[in-house]
Amino acid sequence: METLYWLSQYLYVLIAFVFVMFIWPMVVFRKYLKGKSRTFRFSFCYLIMVMIINTVCITLGLLHILNTTLYCLLFYGVFLYSVFKGKKVPQVVIKRLKSLIGGTYKPKSMFLDIFRFIRKKLKKFWSFIKRSMKGRWGVYILLGIVVLWGYTYFSYAALKDYSFGCGDVYTHCSWIYQLFEGNIFDRGIYPEAMHFCIFSESAFTGVQMYSAILFTQNINIFVMLVAMYMMFRELFKWKYSPIIALMLFLTVNVCDANEVFTLSRMQWALPQEFGYPAMFMCAAFLIRYLRYSVVKKKDKEQKEFEKKSLKIPFIKKTIRFTLPLCVKDENLLIFMLSLAATLAIHFYATIMAFFFCFGAAVALIRRLFSRKFLPLAVSVIIGFMIAVLPMVAAFMTGIGLQGSLNWAMNMFLPKSSTEETVETDTQTETSEETTDNKENQGGDDSAASKETADNAADDKLTENTEKSAASLSGIGNPVVTKTINGSTGIFVVGAKIIEVVEDFLDRLVRIAYRPLHGIESGNFYFSFTLMTLMLGIAASLLSLLITKIKKAKFTEDKTYVGYVALAAMGIMCHAFILSPSYGIPSIMEPYRIYGIGFMTGVITIAVPIDCLFSLFMKKLHAVVSCIFGAIFVIAVYVTCLVTGRFRGYLVYQITRYNSEVMLTDKIVNSLPKDKYTIVSSTDELYQIIGHGFHEELVQFINEAEVVTYTIPTDYIFIFVEKNAIQRNQDHFVTGPSWFAQNSRYYKTMPGKNSEGDELRKQMIDEKLANVYFGKMPLSISVYGSLWQRVVLNSKMFVWCQRFNAMYPNELHVFYEDDDLICYYLHQNPRNLYELAAFDPAVMISPDEYDDPIWPADVVKRIRLWRYKLGEISEDELTEEEKKELGIGTE
């Protein structure tokens, strides 16, 4: 029943997502979209809605009129106006309404007419589908199967674990909830397009906010996979190669913990991953613009204006000639919107879009520096302004930058030691959740995965680096120089360039490819990347030669620059990991790009197949070509399965039991608003915001050990974990082995991990309730250590027993299973129960406990903490503790 319930919630969010992101713009912009290609319509609807929602929400927020009522009136008002604009109600409808009111038109006849109307519209829609897919049924059916496979793969864990995928989502969740209060940029200016989109889904359709946050990114994966297909279609020649490449990305195993974590992030509601569809569309439509878009020949007026210097008239004429092209050219328009969308969603998505676009520009550099350059440059400026100007307006109103943006800006600015200290504080500002995630998944794992390869090659790296530096500075072994026809230094420069390139390639393999993909796979992907580059050049020359022999017209479509672009994209993504080795500051953690780096490596396997079928088998019958495409897709799956290189199930960083999620959902849906308080860890807070109140478990324990304590709501629900769960443990779901491998990444992720039904947990102990730790800090980190969670739940369980002794038959069990018990208390708000049930005077200190479950240094840290709170006097401190606190020293 739980699975069916969350499946229904998933479908509800899916309907909301499709309506907001696709149906609304298809209706509102139907005249503009009429006659446009399927690719354009799909991309335009998604991107334009991201930008409309982002701009409208920021504008209403800056005017302090952002509320759901006004927002819904704007949304549905525009939608209904577009539907009924210029339309008259048919006379037959008016006649039937009069008959219905008069009683002569029976409900049975009415429903029959409605059924006939729907059937007629469905037939018309089916005719449209058949016309649209004529000649491409095989491609779209095979693509649909592969996309559905990947869509299910990335959504599977969300239907198994009902909590958020990682602790970072809580931060974004709080920002989304602030939008319901009309507060934009609650913690400073930050790209919030994802937050606005999820907020819009809930505001427009009434879907629960928790469900919207839980499932929206899983649904967005569908858009991402389609966008990936769009980009692959521009890189490959044979129409089935993009589908084969997509299947490779979805089935081939990854070996590094950072890759697993990066792919797992695609399941969670995080801004960077939400921006992936726009990132892929940006590269795809840039290639389409450079290859296919036609720029009209220059007329006399344009030639004259290009000869003039950069003056005001020049700027006016530039706008006059280029601005209309940015809007009229479909490929340039989508490129501009996708660039703006990446900036509005997350700057990291923009950085990765740059990597892809850089690869495309390298391959099409001849087309880049042509008449297409100026419109492209203007579209980049316009896209930047569309996304950034709303943030600039917010900044001008006095809203500061969010901490991570300050950090990114300071990376390239000179700063004093004081500023460096501020930067460090800013980086740790967001939450302790993020720190836990990075400790579990970030640098430590990356270091562990690279340790073996790097240690073995450290000496060689130092030697090569010194050699390269010496070569560039002219120091070291002299290169033989000669004077030929009065020219000197040519051989020296050539030798230096070769040496620098060799050093770069050596670092690329050792520091990027091998640590990321494993030694064997890293060498394989790097070799295939170089092969793709050479094959692209060779195939383009061969195609050009064949065209010349046949005396046919040579077009850009006959070249194989897509291979060159793919190789350049792969090298660029992996080269980003090298930046620290060159002393270049990295503006984002390298692990964030590992999944995209894996994609650029693994899809090169499809290049030889694509080259074979596009050069020598392009005249195959459509049915035969479809059969070969299906065979290769199946071959990818079977080969991965048989050879042991099949993808495994991904990870969720669970924070609580599924039963806690279900129980909270039941309370929210069954009790009146603001009539109850849930006492538990922080995780339930984000599920009940806007419905009820939440009291932190640690706050409850702290207050229950004072003289008096009350909670002024009708109902109090107390969650007690009989087996305290390890928070933020890396949990791998399990499922059918034909869909993904079980236990594939269990040992890859070091530290706190679990799989299937076996969770990391520890039974509580009533004896621990008699240990006094002082007032514990009100921080989410207090739930991060398993021993602290055990202590808190032990105290909570004993508190319930003592309260029941004080007030017999008042505390009742609301829910209980093997791991969780929930008590509830119904009280009169005018005559509240006294909740203080502990007496610290009769409790013992942690150092007196016989069988401690906490680390050895905890007692010392607790005593220092209690001294700062004033619970321990200076005389009670030991000499060592005084020394550490700096007491009695100058």
Side-chain angles (χ1 to χ4, degrees):
M1 291 300 294
E2 289 183 8
T3 303
L4 289 176
Y5 172 77
W6 288 109
L7 185 59
S8 67
Q9 289 292 308
Y10 187 97
L11 294 175
Y12 192 180
V13 178
L14 175 61
I15 294 170
F17 182 89
V18 171
F19 176 70
V20 173
M21 305 303 293
F22 290 100
I23 295 178
W24 193 92
M26 286 177 65
V27 172
V28 174
F29 298 99
R30 63 186 181 277
K31 290 185 178 179
Y32 174 72
L33 295 174
K34 186 177 182 181
K36 299 294 193 297
S37 66
R38 293 178 293 273
T39 302
F40 178 83
R41 289 199 299 267
F42 181 87
S43 306
F44 178 84
C45 289
Y46 179 80
L47 295 171
I48 200 69
M49 280 311 297
V50 171
M51 297 315 302
I52 288 175
I53 289 173
N54 180 74
T55 306
V56 171
C57 284
I58 293 178
T59 303
L60 294 178
L62 293 178
L63 296 175
H64 303 290
I65 55 174
L66 178 61
N67 61 77
T68 54
T69 303
L70 176 61
Y71 194 35
C72 288
L73 285 175
L74 288 174
F75 180 83
Y76 285 107
V78 173
F79 182 77
L80 295 175
Y81 174 78
S82 177
V83 170
F84 296 108
K85 178 185 177 182
K87 291 186 178 181
K88 296 182 179 180
V89 181
Q91 290 296 323
V92 65
V93 175
I94 297 175
K95 184 178 179 180
R96 294 287 171 83
L97 286 174
K98 291 180 178 179
S99 301
L100 181 65
I101 296 172
T104 58
Y105 187 42
K106 301 299 182 182
K108 184 177 179 180
S109 301
M110 181 184 67
F111 286 117
L112 184 61
D113 287 341
I114 293 174
F115 174 75
R116 288 171 179 167
F117 175 79
I118 294 174
R119 186 175 63 179
K120 181 181 178 181
K121 291 297 182 182
L122 289 176
K123 284 183 178 180
K124 187 177 180 181
F125 179 72
W126 177 244
S127 299
F128 169 76
I129 293 293
K130 288 195 295 184
R131 289 195 307 271
S132 301
M133 297 183 65
K134 186 177 181 180
R136 297 186 64 85
W137 280 97
V139 173
Y140 284 117
I141 290 175
L142 193 58
L143 175 64
I145 294 172
V146 174
V147 169
L148 184 61
W149 174 281
Y151 180 54
T152 308
Y153 173 74
F154 282 105
S155 301
Y156 187 80
L159 294 172
K160 287 283 190 175
D161 294 328
Y162 313 138
S163 57
F164 294 149
C166 73
D168 285 358
V169 180
Y170 288 124
T171 301
H172 300 292
C173 181
S174 65
W175 294 352
I176 296 171
Y177 275 115
Q178 284 296 320
L179 296 177
F180 283 94
E181 302 298 324
N183 302 322
I184 60 171
F185 304 130
D186 179 53
R187 300 190 185 181
I189 296 174
Y190 184 88
E192 286 207 63
M194 182 198 77
H195 309 131
F196 295 142
C197 289
I198 297 178
F199 162 69
S200 300
E201 288 177 25
S202 180
F204 296 154
T205 64
V207 64
Q208 287 186 8
M209 179 57 64
Y210 183 84
S211 300
I213 297 172
L214 189 62
F215 296 127
T216 292
Q217 178 56 24
N218 302 130
I219 297 166
N220 195 55
I221 285 291
F222 178 86
V223 184
M224 186 196 80
L225 294 175
V226 174
M228 287 176 69
Y229 168 77
M230 291 179 188
M231 189 181 79
F232 294 166
R233 196 171 59 182
E234 304 307 320
L235 301 176
F236 296 100
K237 301 285 288 184
W238 186 39
K239 59 184 178 181
Y240 290 99
S241 297
I243 305 175
I244 298 170
L246 198 59
M247 191 65 178
L248 284 165
F249 170 71
L250 292 172
T251 54
V252 175
N253 180 42
V254 294
C255 68
D256 185 74
N258 288 307
E259 286 179 312
V260 177
F261 182 60
T262 308
L263 291 175
S264 298
R265 284 175 59 96
M266 294 181 185
Q267 310 168 102
W268 313 330
L270 299 173
Q272 176 187 323
E273 285 67 27
F274 191 83
Y276 279 176
M279 174 184 74
F280 290 118
M281 291 176 187
C282 191
F285 283 90
L286 174 63
I287 297 173
R288 289 173 65 91
Y289 169 71
L290 294 177
R291 292 182 72 174
Y292 308 123
S293 295
V294 177
V295 179
K296 294 181 180 180
K297 292 183 179 180
K298 303 176 185 178
D299 52 22
K300 291 182 179 180
E301 186 179 358
Q302 187 174 358
K303 288 180 180 179
E304 290 177 2
F305 114 84
E306 286 182 352
K307 292 179 181 179
K308 294 182 179 180
S309 58
L310 292 175
K311 296 179 180 179
I312 296 299
F314 175 87
I315 297 175
K316 290 181 179 179
K317 290 184 178 181
T318 301
I319 296 174
R320 178 181 172 185
F321 282 106
T322 58
L323 190 58
L325 184 61
C326 295
V327 178
K328 291 180 180 179
D329 188 286
E330 295 180 3
N331 297 322
L332 197 57
L333 175 62
I334 298 299
F335 168 76
M336 181 176 66
L337 288 175
S338 57
L339 175 63
T342 59
L343 285 165
I345 295 172
H346 200 280
F347 295 148
Y348 286 174
T350 309
I351 295 172
M352 286 187 277
F354 168 76
F355 294 160
F356 289 149
C357 292
F358 179 83
V362 168
L364 294 161
I365 192 166
R366 185 181 68 87
R367 304 278 288 182
L368 177 66
F369 293 104
S370 64
R371 293 193 302 273
K372 295 188 174 188
F373 179 78
L374 190 57
L376 179 63
V378 172
S379 69
V380 170
I381 296 172
I382 295 173
F384 179 82
M385 293 175 64
I386 291 173
V388 174
L389 281 181
M391 300 184 199
V392 173
F395 184 75
M396 294 177 66
T397 62
I399 303 175
L401 298 179
Q402 199 267 343
S404 59
L405 293 190
N406 279 319
W407 169 77
M409 293 179 65
N410 290 335
M411 286 297 295
F412 296 100
L413 297 176
K415 46 189 175 291
S416 63
S417 58
T418 305
E419 290 172 328
E420 289 175 354
T421 304
V422 173
E423 175 192 299
T424 305
D425 294 339
T426 304
Q427 292 181 52
T428 57
E429 170 194 343
T430 306
S431 67
E432 311 236 358
E433 283 284 351
T434 308
T435 306
D436 285 342
N437 294 334
K438 289 182 180 176
E439 287 176 354
N440 294 340
Q441 307 295 347
D444 293 343
D445 294 344
S446 177
S449 64
K450 290 190 279 188
E451 184 177 359
T452 304
D454 284 352
N455 288 343
D458 275 343
D459 295 336
K460 186 176 180 182
L461 174 60
T462 305
E463 180 183 346
N464 288 339
T465 306
E466 292 174 353
K467 189 185 298 183
S468 177
S471 176
L472 290 171
S473 60
I475 303 173
N477 297 328
V479 180
V480 178
T481 60
K482 296 183 180 179
T483 302
I484 301 176
N485 296 330
S487 300
T488 59
I490 295 177
F491 294 104
V492 176
V493 174
K496 289 179 179 179
I497 292 174
I498 292 173
E499 196 168 352
V500 170
V501 171
E502 287 179 349
D503 177 67
F504 171 76
L505 294 178
D506 181 61
R507 294 189 187 208
L508 194 66
V509 175
R510 290 185 301 99
I511 302 177
Y513 274 92
R514 287 178 182 171
L516 177 59
H517 308 292
I519 296 177
E520 181 182 349
S521 298
N523 292 336
F524 179 80
Y525 292 145
F526 180 71
S527 301
F528 258 74
T529 300
L530 294 183
M531 181 211 68
T532 299
L533 179 62
M534 293 183 289
L535 197 59
I537 297 172
S540 296
L541 293 176
L542 180 60
S543 179
L544 176 62
L545 180 62
I546 294 173
T547 304
K548 292 295 184 182
I549 292 172
K550 293 182 177 181
K551 296 181 179 180
K553 184 180 178 181
F554 180 76
T555 60
E556 205 61 42
D557 189 43
K558 294 181 180 179
T559 62
Y560 285 75
V561 292
Y563 298 170
V564 180
L566 174 58
M569 289 175 183
I571 292 173
M572 189 68 183
C573 289
H574 287 83
F576 174 79
I577 304 173
L578 302 182
S579 56
S581 69
Y582 283 102
I584 301 173
S586 185
I587 59 175
M588 69 175 177
E589 299 89 340
Y591 77 86
R592 289 177 178 265
I593 202 171
Y594 279 12
I596 303 302
F598 165 76
M599 181 208 73
T600 60
V602 73
I603 65 174
T604 57
I605 299 173
V607 170
I609 301 171
D610 181 75
C611 188
L612 175 66
F613 276 83
S614 59
L615 269 177
F616 305 108
M617 299 184 182
K618 57 184 177 181
K619 291 186 178 181
L620 287 174
H621 191 274
V623 176
V624 177
S625 186
C626 180
I627 292 172
F628 272 109
I631 289 173
F632 280 115
V633 169
I634 296 171
V636 169
Y637 171 78
V638 173
T639 302
C640 293
L641 195 61
V642 172
T643 59
R645 295 183 178 273
F646 194 43
R647 181 71 57 81
Y649 288 99
L650 297 176
V651 65
Y652 246 56
Q653 292 184 323
I654 61 172
T655 54
R656 50 183 174 155
Y657 293 108
N658 282 342
S659 56
E660 293 180 90
V661 182
M662 292 298 299
L663 183 58
T664 307
D665 187 76
K666 182 179 179 180
I667 294 172
V668 168
N669 292 325
S670 60
L671 290 180
K673 184 179 179 181
D674 297 338
K675 292 292 184 179
Y676 58 88
T677 298
I678 293 180
V679 180
S680 67
S681 59
T682 305
D683 307 286
E684 279 68 41
L685 166 64
Y686 299 94
Q687 197 173 349
I688 66 170
I689 292 179
H691 299 279
F693 298 98
H694 181 266
E695 186 81 348
E696 288 291 334
L697 177 61
V698 61
Q699 171 76 5
F700 189 95
I701 297 299
N702 285 342
E703 297 299 329
E705 294 174 339
V706 296
V707 178
T708 182
Y709 176 46
T710 57
I711 294 179
T713 54
D714 293 20
Y715 293 91
I716 301 175
F717 293 89
I718 301 170
F719 287 23
V720 180
E721 294 175 354
K722 295 189 288 186
N723 289 299
I725 191 171
Q726 173 66 65
R727 196 172 190 276
N728 275 344
Q729 59 182 286
D730 298 324
H731 181 243
F732 294 93
V733 298
T734 55
S737 58
W738 57 265
F739 186 63
Q741 287 289 319
N742 293 314
S743 306
R744 167 64 75 184
Y745 307 125
Y746 184 77
K747 294 182 180 179
T748 304
M749 307 288 285
K752 305 174 290 185
N753 51 21
S754 58
E755 185 178 38
D757 296 330
E758 299 298 324
L759 300 176
R760 284 185 175 267
K761 53 190 178 182
Q762 183 174 338
M763 185 178 293
I764 62 175
D765 187 351
E766 296 183 36
K767 297 178 182 179
L768 295 171
N770 198 39
V771 182
Y772 182 64
F773 291 88
K775 286 192 176 297
M776 289 181 256
L778 299 178
S779 169
I780 195 172
S781 63
V782 79
Y783 308 116
S785 299
L786 184 57
W787 74 266
Q788 288 178 297
R789 203 172 180 103
V790 170
V791 169
L792 288 171
N793 281 278
S794 300
K795 286 177 173 286
M796 195 73 255
F797 182 75
V798 171
W799 179 92
C800 292
Q801 294 177 328
R802 294 185 179 181
F803 182 86
N804 201 38
M806 293 167 56
Y807 305 98
N809 301 321
E810 295 299 322
L811 196 65
H812 307 281
V813 175
F814 186 72
Y815 172 88
E816 183 175 9
D817 59 24
D818 293 338
D819 298 311
L820 176 72
I821 184 170
C822 175
Y823 297 97
Y824 80 95
L825 173 67
H826 188 195
Q827 61 179 351
N828 184 353
R830 298 179 180 179
N831 187 19
L832 302 175
Y833 285 107
E834 175 57 57
L835 303 179
F838 287 119
D839 183 5
V842 298
M843 301 170 72
I844 63 174
S845 63
D847 55 337
E848 298 175 5
Y849 190 71
D850 297 334
D851 188 21
I853 61 173
W854 42 85
D857 64 333
V858 167
V859 175
K860 179 181 177 181
R861 287 191 283 115
I862 290 174
R863 285 179 56 81
L864 296 179
W865 173 256
R866 291 181 63 187
Y867 170 76
K868 292 177 181 179
L869 293 176
E871 296 181 1
I872 294 179
S873 64
E874 183 178 331
D875 297 335
E876 297 178 83
L877 296 175
T878 63
E879 292 300 324
E880 183 181 353
E881 291 170 344
K882 290 180 180 179
K883 185 177 181 181
E884 184 167 342
L885 291 170
I887 298 175
T889 60
E890 296 182 1

